[in-house]
Amino acid sequence: CRLWNNITNKRMYLTGGIGSSGHLERFTADYDLPNDRMYCESCASIGLMMFGQRMAALTADARYYDVVELALCNTVLGGIALEGDRYFYVNPLEVWPDNCLPSTSMAHVKPVRQRWFATACCPANIARTLASLGQYIFAQDQASIYINQFISSKLTTQVGRTKVSVAIHSDLTKNGKVQTVLSLEGEDAVTLRLRIPTYLENPQFTLNGKTLEPKLERGYAGIVLTAGDGQLLEISGQITPVWVAANSNIRADAGRVALKYGPYVYCLEQVDNGERLANLYVSPTAPVTVCPAQKGLPETLPTLRFSGQFLDSGVGEDLYGAPAFRLEERELTAVPYGLWCNRTPGEMLVWLKARI
C-alpha cells in the first residue's frame, strides 16, 4: 500500500503514466515529472494496471480501479494507433517534433508512432492487454460480482449455486448512462458491486424502473439481486469537463492547467490549433463546450472547445530583444490524449499556461 501510494500520489503523471526518466527507464525523485522528455513506457502503464487490479482483489477497494481506468484510457490507448499497426513506446505530455533528434537527450521521444521496435515489448503487451480486457471489467468473489469498468461487454459466470449473466451497454462518455441487463438462475442471492467513478456526478440507480439508493462501500454501490430473467439496471449521471492543476511541488506544471473529461485527459494538437502551442494561455475558469468528435476520430469521444490566448513576445525575427508582449484571442480545440497523432503529425500539449 505504501508503494502504491508513493507512485500514485507523488510519481504518476496525469495520464496514469509512470517513469519520469528516459535514462534507465526509471523513477527519479518525488514530484519530478517533466512533460517533454520523460519515458512513461506503455508497458509501465500496463504494469500499473496489473498492480491496481491485484490491490483491488486484496482490498475490495474501488480506488485502485480509478487508476487502472486512468492508465487504460490515456497512456495504454495512446500507445497504439487507431489502425492498430503503429505504436508508441514512450508517451510524453508535450511534443515539439523538431527537437526529437537522434543522438540527443530527446532521441527516445518519437513524434509519430513507430511500426516496430528492436525491443518490441510494448506492441505485444498492448495487444495482450486489450484482448484480455474482461479481467479489468469484471471480478467476483464467493457472493458478489464486481463491475469495475463501464465498458460494453458480456459475462456469464457461476456465483455459489446461481448462474449469472451480465450484459453492459455503456454510453457513459456520450450521455452519462449505463444499462445493464442481468439474468439470475439459482437459489442464492448475488450482490452486484458497481464501482462509482469519482467523475460521475449525481449518480442515480433504477432496477426494473424502480429507484434504488444502494449503500456505497469502498467506492462500490452494492445491489442485492435474486433470481429473475432480463432484469434491467440503469445508472445515470453527469460528466462535465474540468480544469485540473498540479501539486505545487511539480515544477514542470507550475502555473499550468490541464483539461479532463471523465477518465480522459485532453490535449491540444497542432493540426487543430496551429504551431507554437507552448505560447498558449488559458483561464482556469474558461467555459468548456462539449462538441462532436473531430473528423477522423472515434465518434464516442467528444471534442472540447474553449477560448484562450496566444502570447507573442513582440521581438520579431531577432533571437532576443525588448519585450513587447501582446495577447491574441484564440478559439482552441482539445481532443483525447489517447487519440493524439492519429491525424496530421505535429506539436502536442497537455499542460497549458494559466492566465489568472
Short mmCIF file of all heavy atoms in Angstrom, two decimals, residues 302-355:
data_model
loop_
_atom_site.label_atom_id
_atom_site.label_comp_id
_atom_site.label_asym_id
_atom_site.label_seq_id
_atom_site.Cartn_x
_atom_site.Cartn_y
_atom_site.Cartn_z
N PRO A 302 -15.94 12.97 -27.35
CA PRO A 302 -16.17 14.31 -27.87
C PRO A 302 -14.91 15.15 -27.98
O PRO A 302 -13.86 14.83 -27.41
CB PRO A 302 -17.13 14.92 -26.84
CG PRO A 302 -16.77 14.23 -25.56
CD PRO A 302 -16.41 12.82 -25.96
N THR A 303 -15.04 16.22 -28.73
CA THR A 303 -14.04 17.29 -28.78
C THR A 303 -14.43 18.34 -27.74
O THR A 303 -15.62 18.56 -27.49
CB THR A 303 -14.02 17.93 -30.19
OG1 THR A 303 -13.58 16.95 -31.12
CG2 THR A 303 -13.11 19.13 -30.24
N LEU A 304 -13.46 18.97 -27.12
CA LEU A 304 -13.72 20.06 -26.17
C LEU A 304 -13.17 21.36 -26.75
O LEU A 304 -12.05 21.39 -27.26
CB LEU A 304 -13.07 19.76 -24.82
CG LEU A 304 -13.50 18.45 -24.14
CD1 LEU A 304 -12.79 18.30 -22.79
CD2 LEU A 304 -15.01 18.38 -23.96
N ARG A 305 -13.97 22.42 -26.67
CA ARG A 305 -13.54 23.72 -27.21
C ARG A 305 -13.67 24.79 -26.14
O ARG A 305 -14.59 24.76 -25.31
CB ARG A 305 -14.36 24.08 -28.44
CG ARG A 305 -14.09 23.15 -29.63
CD ARG A 305 -14.58 23.74 -30.94
NE ARG A 305 -14.12 22.92 -32.06
CZ ARG A 305 -14.85 22.01 -32.68
NH1 ARG A 305 -16.10 21.80 -32.30
NH2 ARG A 305 -14.36 21.30 -33.68
N PHE A 306 -12.73 25.75 -26.18
CA PHE A 306 -12.70 26.84 -25.20
C PHE A 306 -11.88 27.99 -25.76
O PHE A 306 -11.16 27.83 -26.75
CB PHE A 306 -12.10 26.35 -23.88
CG PHE A 306 -10.76 25.69 -24.02
CD1 PHE A 306 -9.58 26.42 -23.87
CD2 PHE A 306 -10.65 24.34 -24.30
CE1 PHE A 306 -8.34 25.81 -24.00
CE2 PHE A 306 -9.42 23.72 -24.43
CZ PHE A 306 -8.27 24.46 -24.29
N SER A 307 -11.99 29.13 -25.13
CA SER A 307 -11.25 30.32 -25.56
C SER A 307 -9.94 30.43 -24.80
O SER A 307 -9.88 30.13 -23.60
CB SER A 307 -12.08 31.59 -25.32
OG SER A 307 -13.25 31.56 -26.12
N GLY A 308 -8.90 30.87 -25.48
CA GLY A 308 -7.60 31.09 -24.86
C GLY A 308 -6.90 32.25 -25.54
O GLY A 308 -7.51 33.00 -26.31
N GLN A 309 -5.61 32.41 -25.23
CA GLN A 309 -4.83 33.49 -25.82
C GLN A 309 -3.47 32.97 -26.27
O GLN A 309 -2.92 32.05 -25.67
CB GLN A 309 -4.62 34.64 -24.81
CG GLN A 309 -5.88 35.37 -24.38
CD GLN A 309 -6.63 34.65 -23.29
OE1 GLN A 309 -6.02 34.01 -22.42
NE2 GLN A 309 -7.95 34.71 -23.33
N PHE A 310 -2.98 33.58 -27.32
CA PHE A 310 -1.63 33.30 -27.81
C PHE A 310 -0.75 34.48 -27.44
O PHE A 310 -1.07 35.63 -27.77
CB PHE A 310 -1.65 33.10 -29.33
CG PHE A 310 -0.31 32.76 -29.92
CD1 PHE A 310 0.13 31.46 -30.05
CD2 PHE A 310 0.54 33.78 -30.35
CE1 PHE A 310 1.36 31.15 -30.59
CE2 PHE A 310 1.78 33.49 -30.90
CZ PHE A 310 2.19 32.17 -31.03
N LEU A 311 0.36 34.22 -26.74
CA LEU A 311 1.25 35.29 -26.30
C LEU A 311 2.40 35.45 -27.28
O LEU A 311 3.19 34.53 -27.47
CB LEU A 311 1.80 34.98 -24.90
CG LEU A 311 2.71 36.06 -24.30
CD1 LEU A 311 1.94 37.34 -24.04
CD2 LEU A 311 3.37 35.56 -23.03
N ASP A 312 2.48 36.63 -27.90
CA ASP A 312 3.57 36.96 -28.81
C ASP A 312 4.53 37.89 -28.07
O ASP A 312 4.10 38.88 -27.47
CB ASP A 312 3.03 37.63 -30.07
CG ASP A 312 4.07 37.77 -31.16
OD1 ASP A 312 5.12 38.39 -30.88
OD2 ASP A 312 3.85 37.29 -32.28
N SER A 313 5.84 37.60 -28.13
CA SER A 313 6.82 38.40 -27.39
C SER A 313 7.04 39.77 -28.01
O SER A 313 7.54 40.69 -27.35
CB SER A 313 8.15 37.66 -27.31
OG SER A 313 8.73 37.56 -28.61
N GLY A 314 6.74 39.90 -29.31
CA GLY A 314 6.97 41.16 -29.99
C GLY A 314 8.41 41.39 -30.39
O GLY A 314 8.75 42.46 -30.89
N VAL A 315 9.27 40.38 -30.22
CA VAL A 315 10.69 40.53 -30.55
C VAL A 315 10.93 40.46 -32.06
O VAL A 315 11.91 41.01 -32.57
CB VAL A 315 11.52 39.46 -29.81
CG1 VAL A 315 12.97 39.45 -30.27
CG2 VAL A 315 11.45 39.71 -28.30
N GLY A 316 10.04 39.81 -32.78
CA GLY A 316 10.22 39.70 -34.23
C GLY A 316 11.18 38.60 -34.60
O GLY A 316 11.19 37.52 -34.00
N GLU A 317 12.05 38.86 -35.59
CA GLU A 317 12.95 37.84 -36.10
C GLU A 317 14.24 37.73 -35.30
O GLU A 317 15.00 36.77 -35.47
CB GLU A 317 13.31 38.13 -37.57
CG GLU A 317 12.11 38.07 -38.51
CD GLU A 317 11.45 36.70 -38.52
OE1 GLU A 317 12.18 35.69 -38.48
OE2 GLU A 317 10.21 36.63 -38.56
N ASP A 318 14.53 38.69 -34.43
CA ASP A 318 15.74 38.62 -33.61
C ASP A 318 15.61 37.50 -32.58
O ASP A 318 14.50 37.13 -32.17
CB ASP A 318 15.97 39.95 -32.89
CG ASP A 318 16.27 41.08 -33.86
OD1 ASP A 318 16.79 40.79 -34.95
OD2 ASP A 318 15.97 42.24 -33.51
N LEU A 319 16.76 36.97 -32.16
CA LEU A 319 16.74 35.92 -31.15
C LEU A 319 16.30 36.47 -29.80
O LEU A 319 15.57 35.81 -29.06
CB LEU A 319 18.12 35.26 -31.06
CG LEU A 319 18.22 33.99 -30.21
CD1 LEU A 319 17.24 32.93 -30.72
CD2 LEU A 319 19.64 33.45 -30.20
N TYR A 320 16.76 37.68 -29.47
CA TYR A 320 16.37 38.35 -28.23
C TYR A 320 16.08 39.81 -28.54
O TYR A 320 16.56 40.37 -29.53
CB TYR A 320 17.47 38.26 -27.18
CG TYR A 320 17.89 36.83 -26.87
CD1 TYR A 320 19.09 36.33 -27.38
CD2 TYR A 320 17.09 35.99 -26.10
CE1 TYR A 320 19.49 35.02 -27.12
CE2 TYR A 320 17.48 34.69 -25.85
CZ TYR A 320 18.68 34.21 -26.35
OH TYR A 320 19.06 32.93 -26.11
N GLY A 321 15.33 40.47 -27.65
CA GLY A 321 15.04 41.88 -27.85
C GLY A 321 14.17 42.42 -26.72
O GLY A 321 13.81 41.68 -25.79
N ALA A 322 13.83 43.67 -26.80
CA ALA A 322 12.99 44.31 -25.78
C ALA A 322 11.60 43.68 -25.79
O ALA A 322 11.02 43.48 -26.86
CB ALA A 322 12.89 45.80 -26.05
N PRO A 323 11.06 43.36 -24.61
CA PRO A 323 9.73 42.73 -24.58
C PRO A 323 8.64 43.70 -25.04
O PRO A 323 8.58 44.85 -24.61
CB PRO A 323 9.56 42.36 -23.11
CG PRO A 323 10.48 43.25 -22.35
CD PRO A 323 11.63 43.52 -23.25
N ALA A 324 7.79 43.22 -25.92
CA ALA A 324 6.63 43.98 -26.38
C ALA A 324 5.46 43.00 -26.48
O ALA A 324 4.88 42.80 -27.55
CB ALA A 324 6.93 44.64 -27.71
N PHE A 325 5.16 42.38 -25.36
CA PHE A 325 4.18 41.29 -25.35
C PHE A 325 2.80 41.75 -25.78
O PHE A 325 2.36 42.85 -25.45
CB PHE A 325 4.09 40.69 -23.94
CG PHE A 325 5.34 40.00 -23.49
CD1 PHE A 325 6.09 40.51 -22.43
CD2 PHE A 325 5.77 38.85 -24.11
CE1 PHE A 325 7.24 39.88 -22.00
CE2 PHE A 325 6.92 38.20 -23.69
CZ PHE A 325 7.66 38.72 -22.63
N ARG A 326 2.13 40.87 -26.50
CA ARG A 326 0.73 41.12 -26.86
C ARG A 326 -0.01 39.78 -26.91
O ARG A 326 0.55 38.75 -27.31
CB ARG A 326 0.60 41.85 -28.18
CG ARG A 326 1.19 41.14 -29.38
CD ARG A 326 0.99 41.96 -30.66
NE ARG A 326 1.52 41.27 -31.83
CZ ARG A 326 2.77 41.36 -32.25
NH1 ARG A 326 3.64 42.14 -31.59
NH2 ARG A 326 3.17 40.71 -33.33
N LEU A 327 -1.24 39.83 -26.48
CA LEU A 327 -2.09 38.64 -26.44
C LEU A 327 -3.08 38.65 -27.60
O LEU A 327 -3.70 39.67 -27.88
CB LEU A 327 -2.86 38.56 -25.12
CG LEU A 327 -2.08 38.14 -23.87
CD1 LEU A 327 -2.92 38.36 -22.62
CD2 LEU A 327 -1.66 36.67 -23.96
N GLU A 328 -3.18 37.53 -28.25
CA GLU A 328 -4.14 37.37 -29.34
C GLU A 328 -5.18 36.33 -28.92
O GLU A 328 -4.84 35.26 -28.45
CB GLU A 328 -3.44 36.89 -30.61
CG GLU A 328 -2.31 37.79 -31.08
CD GLU A 328 -1.50 37.13 -32.20
OE1 GLU A 328 -1.89 36.01 -32.62
OE2 GLU A 328 -0.49 37.72 -32.62
N GLU A 329 -6.44 36.68 -29.07
CA GLU A 329 -7.50 35.75 -28.71
C GLU A 329 -7.52 34.56 -29.68
O GLU A 329 -7.35 34.73 -30.89
CB GLU A 329 -8.87 36.44 -28.73
CG GLU A 329 -9.02 37.53 -27.67
CD GLU A 329 -8.94 37.00 -26.26
OE1 GLU A 329 -9.50 35.89 -26.02
OE2 GLU A 329 -8.34 37.65 -25.40
N ARG A 330 -7.71 33.36 -29.14
CA ARG A 330 -7.77 32.16 -29.95
C ARG A 330 -8.92 31.26 -29.48
O ARG A 330 -9.20 31.17 -28.28
CB ARG A 330 -6.46 31.35 -29.83
CG ARG A 330 -5.23 32.03 -30.41
CD ARG A 330 -5.13 31.82 -31.91
NE ARG A 330 -3.95 32.47 -32.47
CZ ARG A 330 -2.77 31.86 -32.62
NH1 ARG A 330 -2.62 30.59 -32.26
NH2 ARG A 330 -1.75 32.51 -33.15
N GLU A 331 -9.56 30.60 -30.41
CA GLU A 331 -10.51 29.54 -30.09
C GLU A 331 -9.74 28.22 -30.19
O GLU A 331 -9.17 27.91 -31.25
CB GLU A 331 -11.71 29.55 -31.02
CG GLU A 331 -12.63 30.75 -30.80
CD GLU A 331 -13.20 30.77 -29.39
OE1 GLU A 331 -13.67 29.71 -28.90
OE2 GLU A 331 -13.16 31.84 -28.75
N LEU A 332 -9.70 27.48 -29.11
CA LEU A 332 -8.85 26.30 -29.02
C LEU A 332 -9.68 25.02 -28.99
O LEU A 332 -10.81 25.00 -28.49
CB LEU A 332 -7.97 26.39 -27.77
CG LEU A 332 -7.10 27.65 -27.69
CD1 LEU A 332 -6.36 27.70 -26.36
CD2 LEU A 332 -6.12 27.71 -28.86
N THR A 333 -9.09 23.97 -29.53
CA THR A 333 -9.75 22.68 -29.65
C THR A 333 -8.89 21.60 -29.00
O THR A 333 -7.70 21.50 -29.28
CB THR A 333 -9.97 22.32 -31.13
OG1 THR A 333 -10.83 23.30 -31.73
CG2 THR A 333 -10.59 20.94 -31.27
N ALA A 334 -9.49 20.81 -28.12
CA ALA A 334 -8.78 19.73 -27.43
C ALA A 334 -9.40 18.39 -27.79
O ALA A 334 -10.63 18.27 -27.93
CB ALA A 334 -8.81 19.94 -25.92
N VAL A 335 -8.55 17.37 -27.92
CA VAL A 335 -9.00 16.01 -28.23
C VAL A 335 -8.44 15.07 -27.16
O VAL A 335 -7.49 15.41 -26.46
CB VAL A 335 -8.53 15.57 -29.63
CG1 VAL A 335 -9.12 16.47 -30.71
CG2 VAL A 335 -7.01 15.54 -29.72
N PRO A 336 -9.01 13.88 -27.02
CA PRO A 336 -8.49 12.94 -26.02
C PRO A 336 -7.01 12.62 -26.25
O PRO A 336 -6.60 12.34 -27.38
CB PRO A 336 -9.36 11.70 -26.20
CG PRO A 336 -10.64 12.24 -26.77
CD PRO A 336 -10.23 13.35 -27.67
N TYR A 337 -6.23 12.66 -25.17
CA TYR A 337 -4.80 12.37 -25.28
C TYR A 337 -4.55 10.99 -25.90
O TYR A 337 -3.61 10.83 -26.69
CB TYR A 337 -4.17 12.43 -23.88
CG TYR A 337 -2.74 11.94 -23.84
CD1 TYR A 337 -1.69 12.79 -24.19
CD2 TYR A 337 -2.43 10.63 -23.47
CE1 TYR A 337 -0.37 12.34 -24.18
CE2 TYR A 337 -1.13 10.18 -23.45
CZ TYR A 337 -0.10 11.04 -23.80
OH TYR A 337 1.19 10.58 -23.80
N GLY A 338 -5.37 10.02 -25.57
CA GLY A 338 -5.18 8.67 -26.09
C GLY A 338 -5.35 8.57 -27.60
O GLY A 338 -5.01 7.54 -28.19
N LEU A 339 -5.85 9.64 -28.24
CA LEU A 339 -6.07 9.64 -29.69
C LEU A 339 -5.12 10.57 -30.43
O LEU A 339 -5.25 10.73 -31.64
CB LEU A 339 -7.52 10.06 -29.99
CG LEU A 339 -8.61 9.19 -29.38
CD1 LEU A 339 -9.98 9.75 -29.75
CD2 LEU A 339 -8.49 7.74 -29.84
N TRP A 340 -4.15 11.16 -29.73
CA TRP A 340 -3.31 12.15 -30.41
C TRP A 340 -2.44 11.46 -31.47
O TRP A 340 -2.13 10.28 -31.40
CB TRP A 340 -2.46 12.92 -29.39
CG TRP A 340 -1.18 12.28 -28.92
CD1 TRP A 340 -1.05 11.38 -27.91
CD2 TRP A 340 0.14 12.52 -29.43
NE1 TRP A 340 0.27 11.03 -27.75
CE2 TRP A 340 1.03 11.71 -28.66
CE3 TRP A 340 0.66 13.34 -30.43
CZ2 TRP A 340 2.40 11.71 -28.89
CZ3 TRP A 340 2.03 13.32 -30.65
CH2 TRP A 340 2.87 12.52 -29.89
N CYS A 341 -2.09 12.23 -32.48
CA CYS A 341 -1.23 11.78 -33.58
C CYS A 341 -1.88 10.67 -34.41
O CYS A 341 -1.19 9.82 -34.95
CB CYS A 341 0.14 11.36 -33.09
SG CYS A 341 1.41 11.40 -34.38
N ASN A 342 -3.19 10.69 -34.52
CA ASN A 342 -3.87 9.79 -35.44
C ASN A 342 -4.31 10.52 -36.70
O ASN A 342 -4.93 9.90 -37.57
CB ASN A 342 -5.09 9.15 -34.77
CG ASN A 342 -4.74 7.91 -33.99
OD1 ASN A 342 -4.38 6.88 -34.56
ND2 ASN A 342 -4.80 8.00 -32.67
N ARG A 343 -3.99 11.80 -36.78
CA ARG A 343 -4.30 12.58 -37.98
C ARG A 343 -2.98 13.13 -38.51
O ARG A 343 -2.03 12.39 -38.70
CB ARG A 343 -5.32 13.67 -37.65
CG ARG A 343 -6.67 13.09 -37.14
CD ARG A 343 -7.59 14.18 -36.63
NE ARG A 343 -7.05 14.78 -35.41
CZ ARG A 343 -7.41 15.98 -34.94
NH1 ARG A 343 -8.29 16.71 -35.60
NH2 ARG A 343 -6.89 16.44 -33.83
N THR A 344 -2.89 14.44 -38.75
CA THR A 344 -1.65 15.04 -39.23
C THR A 344 -0.66 15.19 -38.08
O THR A 344 -0.98 15.81 -37.07
CB THR A 344 -1.92 16.42 -39.85
OG1 THR A 344 -2.89 16.29 -40.88
CG2 THR A 344 -0.63 17.01 -40.42
N PRO A 345 0.55 14.63 -38.17
CA PRO A 345 1.53 14.76 -37.09
C PRO A 345 1.90 16.23 -36.85
O PRO A 345 1.82 17.06 -37.75
CB PRO A 345 2.73 13.97 -37.60
CG PRO A 345 2.17 13.03 -38.61
CD PRO A 345 1.04 13.77 -39.26
N GLY A 346 2.32 16.51 -35.64
CA GLY A 346 2.73 17.88 -35.30
C GLY A 346 2.92 18.01 -33.80
O GLY A 346 3.07 17.03 -33.08
N GLU A 347 2.92 19.24 -33.32
CA GLU A 347 3.08 19.51 -31.90
C GLU A 347 1.88 18.97 -31.11
O GLU A 347 0.77 18.84 -31.63
CB GLU A 347 3.20 21.00 -31.65
CG GLU A 347 4.43 21.66 -32.24
CD GLU A 347 4.48 23.15 -31.92
OE1 GLU A 347 4.11 23.53 -30.79
OE2 GLU A 347 4.87 23.93 -32.79
N MET A 348 2.13 18.68 -29.82
CA MET A 348 1.07 18.24 -28.91
C MET A 348 1.37 18.79 -27.53
O MET A 348 2.53 18.89 -27.12
CB MET A 348 0.99 16.71 -28.88
CG MET A 348 -0.14 16.14 -28.02
SD MET A 348 0.27 15.97 -26.27
CE MET A 348 1.51 14.67 -26.33
N LEU A 349 0.30 19.15 -26.79
CA LEU A 349 0.48 19.76 -25.47
C LEU A 349 -0.69 19.40 -24.57
O LEU A 349 -1.85 19.52 -24.97
CB LEU A 349 0.57 21.28 -25.62
CG LEU A 349 0.85 22.09 -24.35
CD1 LEU A 349 2.27 21.83 -23.83
CD2 LEU A 349 0.66 23.58 -24.63
N VAL A 350 -0.40 18.93 -23.34
CA VAL A 350 -1.42 18.65 -22.35
C VAL A 350 -1.56 19.80 -21.36
O VAL A 350 -2.65 20.29 -21.11
CB VAL A 350 -1.10 17.33 -21.59
CG1 VAL A 350 -2.01 17.17 -20.37
CG2 VAL A 350 -1.27 16.13 -22.52
N TRP A 351 -0.44 20.25 -20.78
CA TRP A 351 -0.48 21.29 -19.75
C TRP A 351 -0.34 22.67 -20.38
O TRP A 351 0.66 22.96 -21.03
CB TRP A 351 0.61 21.08 -18.71
CG TRP A 351 0.39 19.91 -17.81
CD1 TRP A 351 0.89 18.65 -17.95
CD2 TRP A 351 -0.43 19.90 -16.62
NE1 TRP A 351 0.44 17.86 -16.92
CE2 TRP A 351 -0.36 18.59 -16.10
CE3 TRP A 351 -1.18 20.87 -15.97
CZ2 TRP A 351 -1.04 18.23 -14.92
CZ3 TRP A 351 -1.85 20.51 -14.81
CH2 TRP A 351 -1.78 19.20 -14.30
N LEU A 352 -1.34 23.53 -20.20
CA LEU A 352 -1.32 24.89 -20.75
C LEU A 352 -1.01 25.89 -19.64
O LEU A 352 -1.39 25.70 -18.48
CB LEU A 352 -2.69 25.26 -21.35
CG LEU A 352 -3.10 24.55 -22.63
CD1 LEU A 352 -3.83 23.26 -22.29
CD2 LEU A 352 -4.00 25.46 -23.46
N LYS A 353 -0.32 26.97 -20.02
CA LYS A 353 -0.05 28.03 -19.06
C LYS A 353 -1.35 28.71 -18.65
O LYS A 353 -2.23 28.96 -19.48
CB LYS A 353 0.90 29.07 -19.67
CG LYS A 353 2.28 28.49 -20.01
CD LYS A 353 3.19 29.58 -20.57
CE LYS A 353 4.60 29.06 -20.86
NZ LYS A 353 4.61 28.18 -22.05
N ALA A 354 -1.48 28.97 -17.35
CA ALA A 354 -2.70 29.58 -16.82
C ALA A 354 -2.58 31.10 -16.81
O ALA A 354 -1.56 31.66 -16.45
CB ALA A 354 -2.97 29.07 -15.40
N ARG A 355 -3.64 31.73 -17.25
CA ARG A 355 -3.73 33.18 -17.18
C ARG A 355 -4.71 33.55 -16.08
O ARG A 355 -5.91 33.26 -16.18
CB ARG A 355 -4.19 33.77 -18.52
CG ARG A 355 -4.13 35.29 -18.53
CD ARG A 355 -4.64 35.85 -19.84
NE ARG A 355 -4.59 37.30 -19.83
CZ ARG A 355 -5.33 38.08 -20.59
NH1 ARG A 355 -6.18 37.54 -21.45
NH2 ARG A 355 -5.23 39.38 -20.52
#
